[in-house]
Amino acid sequence: MRTQDVRQRLTTPLSSPAYPPMVPRFTDREYLNIVYRTDPDALRAVVPEPLRIDEPLVRFEVMKMGDVSGYGPYTEAGQAIPVRFGGERGEYLHAMYLDNFPATASGREVAAYPKVIGSPSLYVDSGAVVGTLDHGSLRVATATMGYKHHELDRADAEAQITVPTFMLKTIPGYDGLPRVQELVRTRITDLTVKGAWTGPARLQLFQHALAPLADLPVLEVVSASHILTDLTLAGVEPVHDYLKGGASS
């Protein structure tokens, strides 16, 4: 393979890339969101500067991807933390667990999504929307919400989903030290909210050494939503360079 051919490849193996070179479109992306109050000291211990926390809140989410170009259907779960970057409000993605390797690899390498492999699920059971996350054979999270009890204003649903998202991108060099270490930002674009509901909700997190969601304990459920959308994820842009000690250009 010639040098110019190698330089056109985004990932290995060269003859069978780990993920497709494309911007995926998400059709029928279904969310279960549980916003809860947690311990402020535990929250401050995991949110990197220069992000700031106003309230000790966490959003646990389970997302069922009905159809994704290049990847097919899969499910994802994780935790997002409301933060402030200067005068801009958004969310810091703390942890994400997927059952699809190409989506995991592309999210980590191309962008900075904190993705690892897990076994999330989202389904309806006896009048409740149920979102779960397993690590191996062990349950680490169970979320429930009354199924379509109340319509949620679609503008409110759109506002929940389209806040700027901040992530930490760290790529080590061959000496074991960070070669890239940046805070990056992205947004959701081309969003269509097809349906949105709310209802009574509960969330349980279980201790696990390798999936430590319960390190941000549930003290009080604040709100919940069940939202069906079509959307596209925009690319990422760096906003802070930790190695240079300042804002990225």
Side-chain angles (χ1 to χ4, degrees), residues 96-116:
M96 306 178 80
Y97 300 83
L98 288 73
D99 59 5
N100 180 297
F101 174 73
T104 302
S106 66
R108 288 175 60 96
E109 293 182 25
V110 176
Y113 293 92
K115 296 185 175 185
V116 295

Side-chain angles (χ1 to χ4, degrees):
M1 185 178 291
R2 296 174 299 178
T3 297
Q4 56 265 39
D5 296 327
V6 173
R7 293 181 63 179
Q8 292 177 3
R9 307 300 172 98
L10 296 178
T11 180
T12 59
L14 292 179
S15 59
S16 180
Y19 50 84
M22 62 182 301
V23 177
R25 174 68 175 171
F26 294 80
T27 303
D28 291 335
R29 179 169 176 162
E30 184 178 7
Y31 289 81
L32 173 60
N33 300 304
I34 310 289
V35 177
Y36 68 92
R37 196 173 306 278
T38 192
D39 178 81
D41 292 333
L43 204 58
R44 281 190 287 267
V46 299
V47 174
E49 294 180 335
L51 298 176
R52 295 288 182 264
I53 301 165
D54 289 329
E55 290 189 75
L57 300 177
V58 181
R59 182 171 62 86
F60 175 77
E61 62 179 3
V62 183
M63 295 173 286
K64 186 176 182 180
M65 319 300 182
D67 181 73
V68 187
S69 54
Y71 301 93
Y74 65 92
T75 308
E76 181 174 331
Q79 290 169 310
I81 300 169
V83 294
R84 178 168 40 84
F85 178 70
E88 183 178 32
R89 297 188 181 278
E91 288 186 329
Y92 170 67
L93 292 187
H94 174 55
M96 306 178 80
Y97 300 83
L98 288 73
D99 59 5
N100 180 297
F101 174 73
T104 302
S106 66
R108 288 175 60 96
E109 293 182 25
V110 176
Y113 293 92
K115 296 185 175 185
V116 295
I117 292 294
S119 298
S121 63
L122 182 62
Y123 57 95
V124 177
D125 179 61
S126 299
V129 185
V130 180
T132 64
L133 174 62
D134 294 347
H135 188 283
S137 62
L138 298 179
R139 178 63 44 87
V140 293
T142 300
T144 56
M145 189 190 100
Y147 182 70
K148 296 186 178 181
H149 280 205
H150 308 286
E151 289 270 358
L152 181 64
D153 183 84
R154 295 197 179 189
D156 291 342
E158 182 174 338
Q160 288 184 28
I161 294 173
T162 56
V163 296
T165 299
F166 297 93
M167 301 168 289
L168 181 63
K169 181 166 187 170
T170 297
I171 300 175
Y174 296 108
D175 57 1
L177 298 175
R179 188 170 181 177
V180 175
Q181 194 164 61
E182 297 174 329
L183 185 70
V184 303
R185 176 178 55 210
T186 187
R187 293 178 180 272
I188 284 173
T189 64
D190 300 327
L191 174 69
T192 300
V193 175
K194 295 179 166 181
W197 305 269
T198 187
R202 299 292 185 272
L203 174 62
Q204 293 175 287
L205 302 178
F206 305 96
Q207 298 284 352
H208 194 296
L210 302 183
L213 282 77
D215 286 2
L216 300 177
V218 180
L219 302 184
E220 176 193 10
V221 172
V222 175
S223 64
S225 59
H226 174 208
I227 304 172
L228 183 64
T229 67
D230 295 342
L231 58 86
T232 302
L233 296 177
V236 301
E237 57 176 344
V239 296
H240 182 84
D241 191 324
Y242 290 93
L243 301 183
K244 294 180 180 178
S248 296
S249 57

